[in-house]
């Protein structure tokens, strides 16, 4: 996506006119910056992080939940891939998880789980990573219905991204078969809706998985099967060339992907090691930024050097890579393959190399693959059952049409706030102006659609701690704990404006009349709702599409 000239300053940075950019532009630019951060060196990564943060701040000011979620995701990813910023990804990931839960964005919540899994692997917390990916997979096991607010193409792309991140964690954990199944689901989601960059990333992830699988098969002496995996990886690398040319990867279009992307270049060399690959692999070694790239390129380079009768050079490449990886725990299974390669090339007489290999082997055997798969499946099933039970409980407290809390949930929350003497507490009753005409002129089905749109708009216009419940028919109740009357009136005024400015094909001209009151000491919930109802009728009599506020002090009311 090209930056409009008016959106950048003289140094090429995003300027103060972000507010003029569309939501789609914000998301598209953030995706570009994620691609830059994943394929560039430190200074470019830091600049991309700063720009993503600016875009996120703009989106948070607008408040559309799906856009905010996608930009929180981008802000977390650029930190996860930038050395020195990994620890700073934790607040972004926590906020992403909380935000997606609050707004019911299931696919993006699953993606947040996958990203937390990546974060835990970077901190050598494999068991926590396993728990996160199990929870994410359980979410995606549900009967997913596309989000009606976004188009199917965007929905498919979001689902594919979540699945790809799940697969990446599974690949790092060495659970290759399950990772391959998850990537197959991502392939199905991208089949009709994927953009070139997403297809390129998908093929890159599959190449990475297939190489890791082949190296794993070699460790159990399944050399023929391993060669089959390397051949497949080379074919995937070849297939990635076309979408690469249209991708967001910040590379040169006059060079092939295999000349610029370490995993793809290594795939071809592993399928058929020879001296012909050496120049490219030396170059790719310098471009490698992450453990998976450094290790895979080192193994491929060493094998080509051996074929070229340069065993000492091969040994030095592996030795240097082992030193680089000394404190990196993000790729445990690939590290084992690196140790095996070094031990084999060093020769049986090199005791220290064999000991290093044996220690690494024992560490992996301690967490046997079969045990890891069983643990993952157990936690996945537990999470699935927990979510199913929670969904049943939630249904009893949820309005089936709008998805908002129902009258029962409202009564419980009001009782909790009043008993706990939460002051200030503002309570609003919201009624729809002109709604009966929608049912009469169009249909009840159309009326249901209008109710859903307005319920969503009302919910999005308020704070996360505010409760919006369907009271019955075309009436809603809003609880604003901690909000004095003036703040509540202003917030509800914004909600009134948001509904009034909805496209006519969504709102059918329906507006809001709102009555808001401040709870009095020792006032019951019925008394408070009765006063809010009276205030709402004041707004109605004044023409609707407005807020009427009544203070809690009886003297002020008089």
């Amino acid at each position: 996506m090209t930056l409009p000239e008016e959106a950048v300053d003289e140094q090429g940075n995003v300027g103060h006119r972000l507010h003029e950019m569309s939501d789609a532009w914000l998301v598209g630019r953030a995706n570009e910056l994620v691609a830059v951060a994943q394929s560039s060196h430190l200074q470019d990564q830091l600049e991309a992080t700063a720009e993503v943060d600016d875009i996120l701040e703009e989106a948070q000011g607008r408040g559309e939940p799906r856009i905010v979620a996608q930009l929180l995701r981008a802000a977390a990813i650029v930190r996860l891939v930038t050395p020195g910023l990994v620890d700073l990804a934790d607040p972004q990931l926590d906020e992403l998880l909380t935000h997606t839960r609050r707004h019911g964005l299931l696919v993006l919540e699953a993606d947040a789980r996958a990203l937390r899994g990546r974060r835990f692997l970077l901190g050598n917390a494999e068991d926590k990573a396993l728990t996160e990916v199990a929870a994410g997979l359980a979410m995606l096991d549900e009967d997913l219905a596309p989000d009606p607010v976004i188009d199917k193409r965007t929905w498919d792309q979001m689902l594919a991204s979540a699945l790809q991140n799940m697969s990446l964690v599974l690949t790092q954990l060495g659970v290759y078969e399950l990772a391959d199944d998850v990537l197959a689901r991502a392939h199905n989601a991208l089949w009709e809706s994927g953009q070139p960059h997403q297809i390129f990333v998908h093929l890159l992830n599959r190449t990475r998985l297939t190489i890791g699988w082949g190296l794993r098969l070699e460790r159990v002496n399944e050399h023929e099967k391993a060669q089959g995996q390397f051949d497949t990886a080379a074919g995937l690398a070849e297939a990635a060339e076309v979408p690469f040319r249209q991708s967001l990867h910040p590379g040169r279009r006059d060079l092939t992907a295999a000349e610029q992307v370490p995993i793809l270049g290594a795939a071809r060399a592993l399928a058929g090691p020879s001296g012909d690959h050496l120049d490219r692999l030396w170059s790719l070694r310098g471009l490698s930024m992450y453990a998976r790239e450094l290790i895979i390129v080192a193994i491929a380079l060493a094998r080509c050097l051996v074929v070229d009768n340069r065993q000492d050079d091969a040994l030095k490449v592996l030795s240097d890579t082992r030193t680089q990886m000394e404190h990196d725990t993000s790729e445990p299974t690939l590290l084992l393959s690196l140790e095996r390669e070094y031990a084999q090339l060093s020769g049986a007489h090199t005791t220290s190399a064999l000991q290093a290999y044996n220690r690494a082997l024992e560490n992996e055997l301690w967490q046997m693959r079969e045990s890891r798969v069983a643990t993952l499946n157990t936690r996945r099933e537990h999470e699935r059952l927990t979510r199913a039970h929670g969904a049943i409980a939630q249904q009893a407290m949820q309005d089936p049409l709008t998805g908002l809390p129902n009258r029962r949930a409202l009564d419980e929350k009001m009782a909790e706030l009043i008993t706990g003497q939460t002051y200030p507490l503002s309570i609003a009753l919201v009624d729809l102006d002109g709604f009966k005409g929608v049912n009469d002129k169009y249909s009840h089905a159309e009326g249901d659609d209008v109710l859903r749109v307005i319920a969503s708009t009302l919910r999005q216009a308020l704070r996360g701690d505010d409760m919006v419940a369907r009271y019955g028919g075309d009436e809603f109740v809003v609880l604003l704990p901690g909000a004095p009357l003036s703040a509540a009136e202003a917030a509800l005024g914004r909600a009134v404006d948001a509904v009034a400015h909805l496209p006519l094909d969504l709102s059918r001209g329906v507006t809001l009349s709102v009555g808001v009151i401040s709870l009095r000491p020792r006032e019951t919930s019925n008394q408070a709702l009765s006063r809010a109802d009276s205030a709402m009728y004041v707004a109605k009599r004044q023409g609707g599409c407005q807020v009427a506020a009544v203070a809690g002090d009886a003297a002020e009311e008089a």
Side-chain angles (χ1 to χ4, degrees):
M1 178 176 294
T2 303
L3 280 166
E5 292 182 5
E6 65 272 18
V8 297
D9 60 22
E10 292 179 357
Q11 287 73 42
N13 300 314
V14 172
H16 64 281
R17 302 190 68 176
L18 278 175
H19 66 278
E20 297 181 3
M21 301 297 110
S22 67
D23 287 350
W25 187 93
L26 297 182
V27 173
R29 178 58 181 164
N31 288 337
E32 283 186 350
L33 293 167
V34 167
V36 167
Q38 290 174 323
S39 311
S40 303
H41 290 286
L42 183 59
Q43 186 56 43
D44 290 335
Q45 291 176 316
L46 294 174
E47 291 174 1
T49 302
E51 189 175 334
V52 168
D53 288 348
D54 288 340
I55 295 173
L56 171 60
E57 184 178 0
E58 170 63 27
Q60 288 173 324
R62 301 182 188 187
E64 205 294 310
R66 290 156 187 82
I67 303 301
V68 172
Q70 291 178 75
L71 292 171
L72 280 169
R73 174 184 178 275
I77 291 175
V78 293
R79 286 167 169 80
L80 286 175
V81 302
T82 302
L85 298 186
V86 172
D87 291 344
L88 299 180
D90 292 332
Q92 308 285 345
L93 290 170
D94 291 343
E95 186 177 354
L96 175 59
L97 195 56
T98 300
H99 177 87
T100 51
R101 281 174 179 165
R102 177 188 300 150
H103 295 284
L105 306 176
L106 187 63
V107 170
L108 287 166
E109 183 183 350
D111 204 354
R113 291 285 196 173
L115 293 174
R116 278 168 62 110
R118 287 174 60 179
R119 169 68 183 97
F120 283 132
L121 283 178
L122 290 170
N124 198 25
E126 292 184 22
D127 191 65
K128 290 182 178 180
L130 200 67
T131 298
E132 291 293 339
V133 77
L137 287 171
M139 294 175 190
L140 299 182
D141 284 341
E142 296 181 17
D143 186 14
L144 299 175
D147 189 329
V149 178
I150 60 179
D151 61 273
K152 185 178 183 300
R153 182 185 181 90
T154 302
W155 163 263
D156 286 342
Q157 292 171 0
M158 288 167 50
L159 176 60
S161 294
L163 290 166
Q164 287 172 338
N165 281 321
M166 293 287 176
S167 177
L168 181 59
V169 178
L170 293 169
T171 299
Q172 289 177 272
L173 290 168
V175 189
Y176 297 111
E177 293 89 342
L178 183 53
D180 193 48
D181 289 343
V182 172
L183 271 187
R185 285 187 63 188
H187 173 82
N188 292 336
L190 289 173
W191 183 253
E192 294 181 354
S193 304
Q195 295 177 347
H197 181 73
Q198 289 182 306
I199 294 171
F200 165 70
V201 170
H202 175 71
L203 291 170
L204 179 60
N205 287 337
R206 291 209 69 174
T207 305
R208 153 73 179 92
L209 182 155
T210 308
I211 290 173
W213 201 343
L215 294 172
R216 179 68 181 87
L217 288 168
E218 284 185 332
R219 299 206 311 268
V220 291
N221 295 319
E222 294 280 359
H223 295 288
E224 187 174 340
K225 291 181 179 178
Q227 184 60 50
Q229 294 293 339
F230 295 145
D231 291 341
T232 299
L236 290 167
E238 181 67 32
E241 291 289 347
V242 172
F244 170 79
R245 296 189 188 97
Q246 304 173 56
S247 75
L248 301 177
H249 188 283
R252 293 171 53 183
R253 294 302 177 253
D254 59 324
L255 298 177
T256 66
E259 292 174 298
Q260 302 178 78
V261 183
I263 297 296
L264 301 182
R268 296 186 177 187
L270 287 168
S274 74
D276 295 338
H277 300 289
L278 288 175
D279 288 343
R280 181 172 68 242
L281 290 173
W282 283 117
S283 175
L284 292 172
R285 189 169 183 240
L287 295 174
S288 298
M289 296 170 54
Y290 306 110
R292 58 183 176 272
E293 297 173 339
L294 289 163
I295 295 171
I296 289 173
V297 169
I299 292 173
L301 179 54
R303 292 185 183 184
C304 290
L305 286 167
V306 169
V307 172
D308 205 43
N309 295 315
R310 297 167 60 183
Q311 183 164 323
D312 289 343
D313 290 339
L315 195 59
K316 187 175 188 312
V317 166
L318 296 173
S319 177
D320 290 347
T321 306
R322 290 174 72 234
T323 301
Q324 285 180 275
M325 294 294 101
E326 187 174 0
H327 302 294
D328 193 311
T329 59
S330 62
E331 296 285 351
T333 56
L334 285 180
L335 279 170
L336 182 55
S337 293
L338 177 66
E339 294 290 357
R340 175 183 183 273
E341 201 80 16
Y342 180 69
Q344 285 188 323
L345 196 55
S346 297
H349 62 279
T350 310
T351 305
S352 61
L354 289 175
Q355 286 177 339
Y357 172 59
N358 286 334
R359 283 196 301 270
L361 179 60
E362 288 300 326
N363 184 59
E364 185 181 55
L365 290 176
W366 184 257
Q367 301 179 28
M368 292 178 61
R369 178 188 165 282
E370 291 77 8
S371 174
R372 181 172 287 168
V373 172
T375 300
L376 175 65
N377 288 334
T378 298
R379 293 181 188 178
R380 183 178 182 177
E381 180 65 12
H382 173 75
E383 181 71 20
R384 188 187 66 78
L385 293 173
T386 300
R387 290 183 64 80
H389 176 75
I392 293 171
Q394 184 181 20
Q395 286 172 7
M397 307 288 281
Q398 188 178 59
D399 172 54
L401 176 64
T402 63
L404 294 176
N406 59 16
R407 179 71 177 269
R408 176 180 170 184
L410 172 67
D411 291 343
E412 289 189 10
K413 185 64 174 179
M414 285 192 70
E416 174 191 329
L417 292 172
I418 291 174
T419 302
Q421 296 183 328
T422 300
Y423 296 105
L425 171 61
S426 294
I427 300 171
L429 196 142
V430 181
D431 188 82
L432 274 57
D433 306 320
F435 180 71
K436 184 177 182 300
V438 175
N439 286 333
D440 293 343
K441 183 177 180 180
Y442 299 99
S443 66
H444 285 280
E446 183 74 21
D448 287 348
D449 288 341
V450 170
L451 275 176
R452 279 190 284 264
V453 167
I454 290 180
S456 176
T457 304
L458 181 60
R459 170 64 272 175
Q460 292 170 20
L462 299 169
R463 302 175 304 174
D465 292 338
D466 298 334
M467 181 183 195
V468 181
R470 189 178 182 196
Y471 194 53
D474 60 345
E475 290 186 322
F476 301 88
V477 169
V478 182
L479 306 181
L480 302 99
L485 187 62
S486 57
E489 182 180 8
L492 290 159
R494 289 191 293 271
V496 169
D497 289 342
V499 170
H501 288 91
L502 284 170
L504 284 177
D505 61 330
L506 294 180
S507 70
R508 296 301 180 188
V510 169
T511 58
L512 304 183
S513 287
V514 182
V516 58
I517 59 101
S518 183
L519 184 72
R520 295 170 175 169
R522 297 178 297 281
E523 187 172 28
T524 67
S525 58
N526 286 337
Q527 290 170 335
L529 287 171
S530 177
R531 289 199 302 120
D533 186 60
S534 297
M536 182 272 294
Y537 276 106
V538 171
K540 286 274 190 189
R541 287 194 295 272
Q542 293 176 349
C545 195
Q546 61 184 278
V547 181
V550 177
D553 187 340
E556 288 186 35
E557 288 184 40

